[in-house]
Amino acid sequence: MNSKVSQYFINKYKPSVGPEEAEAPLYDPGLLAKLDWSKVTHMKGGVTNHAPGEGLRVRPLCKADYDRGFLQLLSQLTKVGDISREKFNERFEAMKNCPGHYYVTVIEDTDQGKIVGSATLSCELKFIRGCAKRGRLEDVVVNNEYRGKQLGKLIVSTVTLLANQVGCYKMGLDCKDEMKPFYGSIGYTSEKGNDNTMIIRF
Ligand code: 16G
């Protein structure tokens, strides 16, 4: 192996941060702990982020998720590209340095140490509506081997409740036509005369 190639593998596989930093959450997990599911009627069997199911945990993204298949999971949604650990950590830091804007939330299979679901709430600051905040639902993906556990509804509902909790006046999303019934079942609607986007109002 030439030195350029071996350096590439060293950088890709070495944990570049200590264990404490690797597990540090992208945002305050206390926000998830406070979510109120009392008005949510579309989940069966009392599934919430507080009780996601045996061996599952819903939490903010952390740097160690690079080694838990987070990027491989995203590649089930779209092209991800070859992202080095350094690049991943840099992007994580950039998000963390914008508190209140990026809430990348994951479902971990704790027995496997594997990320099996993810969705992001991103918040935009506005001048309209009295300097309001708008939420966007982004990069929703659930490992297709974990179908039938309501994980799609769970992760979307979690970040939707989070949007409400952090003060967004609405949450919007883009999705393929075939996904509209799924988002509709969670409360997202196409507004009359404005059906290129789907939103939920709080
Ligand atoms: C979907 C996603 C969007 C994601 C895009 C990636 C949801 C609700 N929508 O539209 O967040 O960024 O796919 O596809 O998850 P692209 O790489 O073709 O833009």
Side-chain angles (χ1 to χ4, degrees):
M1 222 188 286
N2 71 37
S3 68
K4 212 169 159 194
V5 173
S6 57
Q7 193 57 46
Y8 170 83
F9 283 103
I10 289 165
N11 288 340
K12 194 167 165 82
Y13 295 109
K14 77 167 185 210
S16 58
V17 296
E20 207 169 302
E21 189 186 333
E23 300 297 338
L26 179 61
Y27 66 90
D28 175 11
L31 291 170
L32 292 179
K34 281 190 283 190
L35 294 183
D36 174 11
W37 289 73
S38 60
K39 295 196 184 86
V40 175
T41 54
H42 54 256
M43 299 298 296
K44 288 185 218 120
V47 170
T48 67
N49 66 301
H50 314 299
E54 180 94 23
L56 298 172
R57 191 151 84 98
V58 180
R59 58 167 176 77
L61 182 74
C62 65
K63 285 182 180 168
D65 293 335
Y66 184 86
D67 297 308
R68 298 188 181 113
F70 173 66
L71 296 175
Q72 289 76 5
L73 176 70
L74 286 184
S75 72
Q76 292 189 17
L77 175 70
T78 188
K79 290 179 191 165
V80 174
D82 187 16
I83 299 179
S84 67
R85 185 186 298 279
E86 280 65 32
K87 206 168 165 187
F88 177 80
N89 286 351
E90 261 175 44
R91 178 48 50 95
F92 183 98
E93 285 298 330
M95 288 182 174
K96 197 162 181 167
N97 288 334
C98 299
H101 289 284
Y102 297 101
Y103 300 88
V104 185
T105 306
V106 298
I107 304 176
E108 180 186 359
D109 177 330
T110 53
D111 297 330
Q112 304 283 324
K114 192 166 143 189
I115 303 305
V116 298
S118 183
T120 297
L121 158 64
S122 84
C123 286
E124 282 174 12
L125 301 184
K126 299 271 190 180
F127 285 111
I128 61 161
R129 295 181 182 259
C131 290
K133 260 197 250 180
R134 182 216 163 113
R136 290 188 186 272
L137 176 62
E138 292 285 350
D139 302 337
V140 176
V141 58
V142 170
N143 184 324
N144 45 33
E145 288 167 21
Y146 285 71
R147 291 239 168 92
K149 295 174 186 284
Q150 304 183 80
L151 299 191
K153 281 189 177 170
L154 170 64
I155 196 70
V156 170
S157 306
T158 298
V159 294
T160 304
L161 289 171
L162 189 58
N164 190 6
Q165 183 169 279
V166 300
C168 295
Y169 82 100
K170 71 179 183 184
M171 173 85 144
L173 66 89
D174 300 316
C175 69
K176 296 198 172 111
D177 291 348
E178 70 209 40
M179 293 305 292
K180 286 181 83 170
F182 167 73
Y183 289 109
S185 74
I186 297 170
Y188 286 81
T189 64
S190 297
E191 289 194 325
K192 207 166 175 234
N194 186 18
D195 65 359
N196 294 313
T197 58
M198 296 177 77
I199 59 154
I200 190 163
R201 290 186 183 274
F202 304 117

